[in-house]
Amino acid sequence: MNKDIFILRGLPGSGKSTLARALSYNFLGEAYICSADHYMVDAEGQYVFDPSRLKECHSKCKEEFESILLSTRDNPMGVRVIVDNTNMAEEEYHWYLRTAEEINEEPSHSPGFKVHLLTVGNHHGGVSIHDVPPASMARMEARFENPLNA
């Protein structure tokens, strides 16, 4: 069975989370979605963006990603791991690429993970649960790196 990692990239509201759910839906093996947003949920289950917690939430997302890869690398039924973060620049998604490569290099009884880097650009009319101000969106869009030119 396949072992795939999908690293999603795109502005807030571009449809990354929708695509992540679609990629995990009805997958016959194990499917996981790793997202820093999962760590921005309050006690009532509501998403609350707190920029002061970004570093902490991304660190937890990375820990979750590595743990999933290590625990599922020999799964015979297939694994799909989806990283649902903005990943605006190579420096933001490079860690995931390097970690997957390192785990693939370790001795295993099954083929390694295949990594897919996907840029998502459906802006849903600018509607987003993140309520990112237009000026911040413009700054993010300006620093968005095309991986072919990065």
Side-chain angles (χ1 to χ4, degrees):
M1 266 300 200
N2 291 344
K3 295 189 305 186
D4 293 297
I5 297 169
F6 293 90
I7 300 173
L8 307 183
R9 307 178 65 235
L11 294 169
S14 63
K16 294 178 307 297
S17 296
T18 300
L19 178 59
R21 286 189 300 274
L23 288 169
S24 67
Y25 184 73
N26 276 348
F27 180 65
L28 296 177
E30 292 183 69
Y32 302 89
I33 299 173
C34 300
S35 175
D37 282 351
H38 294 170
Y39 300 99
M40 294 263 186
V41 175
D42 67 14
E44 289 80 41
Q46 298 297 313
Y47 175 81
V48 180
F49 180 73
D50 179 353
S52 70
R53 297 190 57 235
L54 273 173
K55 186 174 182 177
E56 168 199 351
C57 293
H58 279 282
S59 178
K60 288 180 178 182
C61 182
K62 288 175 178 179
E63 288 175 19
E64 178 186 19
F65 176 82
E66 186 171 28
S67 175
I68 290 167
L69 265 56
L70 289 170
S71 67
T72 63
R73 67 183 176 169
D74 288 322
N75 183 328
M77 295 304 293
V79 178
R80 184 167 286 174
V81 183
I82 302 136
V83 178
D84 176 19
N85 293 324
T86 57
N87 293 306
M88 303 299 291
E90 183 180 7
E91 66 187 29
E92 295 173 16
Y93 61 82
H94 181 75
W95 181 91
Y96 295 99
L97 296 173
R98 190 181 74 248
T99 299
E101 182 178 293
E102 289 171 0
I103 289 172
N104 280 343
E105 290 174 355
E106 294 178 9
S108 176
H109 298 291
S110 64
F113 290 90
K114 183 175 180 181
V115 180
H116 312 271
L117 188 62
L118 303 177
T119 300
V120 183
N122 181 359
H123 296 277
H124 301 293
V127 176
S128 169
I129 65 165
H130 306 288
D131 295 324
V132 179
S136 296
M137 286 289 283
R139 282 193 304 276
M140 291 178 78
E141 190 167 12
R143 71 180 197 85
F144 192 84
E145 292 179 359
N146 179 342
L148 300 176
N149 299 326

